């Protein structure tokens, strides 16, 4: 029996590792109604993919913590705590992932879903860990995936509490939905 089991195991093909995968997540175009709402739009695309019936307006009005638009070299809110400005306006700014996590925490049923935030993961790892398991990933990048080290891409202000904020004006949020041998695929609102 040992030889028979061993020979069957040797002839079975190893499990197939996907060379490509694309999740069919809903796509929402942001530019008309949400010119600076990429974070909220990306979150809603992910929520709708998981069957949560919510619109971008419902997400913004009911769950997104918002503050005023900052004044460059003046005062402004902390983008780790609130969305800076209004995502429906062209002069809106944005927020960091912690604000979206907080909004999702208010919304989701933790008996069915979890929300995780992390930094510094590469896209390949995200694809293997989440896309291969049919889980789209909300990511922060830059518009056009440009290198944002140029000082022209940055703005600063101080919060009323005295915290210095340096904000990437090219910050953009997308929903990672797939990959193949050569590319990553996003729902880029």
């Amino acid at each position: 029996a040992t030889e028979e089991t061993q020979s069957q195991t040797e002839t079975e093909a190893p499990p197939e590792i996907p060379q490509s995968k694309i999740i069919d997540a809903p796509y929402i175009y942001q530019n008309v109604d949400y010119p600076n709402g990429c974070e909220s739009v990306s979150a809603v695309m992910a929520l709708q993919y998981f069957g949560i019936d919510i619109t971008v307006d419902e997400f913004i009005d009911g769950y997104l913590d918002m503050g005023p638009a900052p004044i460059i070299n003046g005062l402004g809110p902390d983008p780790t705590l609130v969305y800076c400005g209004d995502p429906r306006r062209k002069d809106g700014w944005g927020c960091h992932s912690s604000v979206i996590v907080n909004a999702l925490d208010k919304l989701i049923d933790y008996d069915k879903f979890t929300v995780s935030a992390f930094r510094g993961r590469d896209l390949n790892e995200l694809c293997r860990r989440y896309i291969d398991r049919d889980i789209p990933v909300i990511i922060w990048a830059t518009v056009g995936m440009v290198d944002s080290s140029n000082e022209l891409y940055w703005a600063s202000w101080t919060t009323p509490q005295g915290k210095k904020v340096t904000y990437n004006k090219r910050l953009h949020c997308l929903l990672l939905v797939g990959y193949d041998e050569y590319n990553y695929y996003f729902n880029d609102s």
Side-chain angles (χ1 to χ4, degrees):
T2 305
E3 287 181 21
E4 183 178 40
T5 305
Q6 185 177 10
S7 94
Q8 284 178 343
T9 304
E10 290 173 356
T11 60
E12 290 177 16
E16 187 101 6
I17 297 173
Q19 296 300 309
S20 68
K21 181 166 184 118
I22 298 179
I23 296 172
D24 188 19
Y27 177 80
I28 300 170
Y29 183 64
Q30 82 175 69
N31 283 346
V32 176
D33 295 324
Y34 317 102
N36 282 297
C38 57
E39 302 93 342
S40 294
V41 171
S42 294
V44 169
M45 288 188 288
L47 290 166
Q48 288 180 358
Y49 171 76
F50 286 112
I52 298 172
D53 185 21
I54 189 166
T55 66
V56 177
D57 286 318
E58 290 168 337
F59 183 84
I60 292 169
D61 294 336
Y63 304 98
L64 185 66
D65 294 326
M66 295 193 302
I71 298 168
I72 296 175
N73 298 322
L75 285 179
D78 185 340
T80 67
L81 302 176
V82 296
Y83 182 95
C84 300
D86 185 337
R88 294 180 183 104
R89 296 178 45 103
K90 289 184 180 184
D91 61 353
W93 281 75
C95 63
H96 294 168
S97 62
S98 53
V99 176
I100 298 303
V101 168
N102 186 46
L104 293 170
D105 280 341
K106 297 178 208 175
L107 172 66
I108 67 164
D109 178 351
Y110 270 91
D111 289 334
K112 296 179 183 176
F113 302 102
T114 59
V115 175
S116 300
F118 33 79
R119 299 177 74 98
R121 305 279 173 92
D122 70 33
L123 292 175
N124 190 46
E125 178 185 353
L126 294 174
C127 288
R128 297 295 179 217
R129 181 172 280 183
Y130 298 101
I131 300 302
D132 283 350
R133 294 174 40 213
D134 295 319
I135 302 169
V137 181
I138 302 167
I139 69 156
W140 272 252
T142 56
V143 174
M145 302 292 183
V146 298
D147 174 8
S148 64
S149 60
N150 185 325
E151 65 185 48
L152 297 174
Y153 294 152
W154 294 87
S156 5
W157 60 84
T158 304
T159 69
Q161 296 77 25
K163 178 181 176 182
K164 177 83 170 174
V165 172
T166 303
Y167 189 86
N168 183 336
K169 295 187 293 184
R170 303 287 294 173
L171 194 64
H172 187 45
C173 189
L174 310 98
L175 188 66
L176 175 64
V177 297
Y179 67 94
D180 64 23
E181 189 177 347
Y182 303 104
N183 302 291
Y184 298 104
Y185 295 91
F186 303 90
N187 278 8
D188 182 355
S189 59

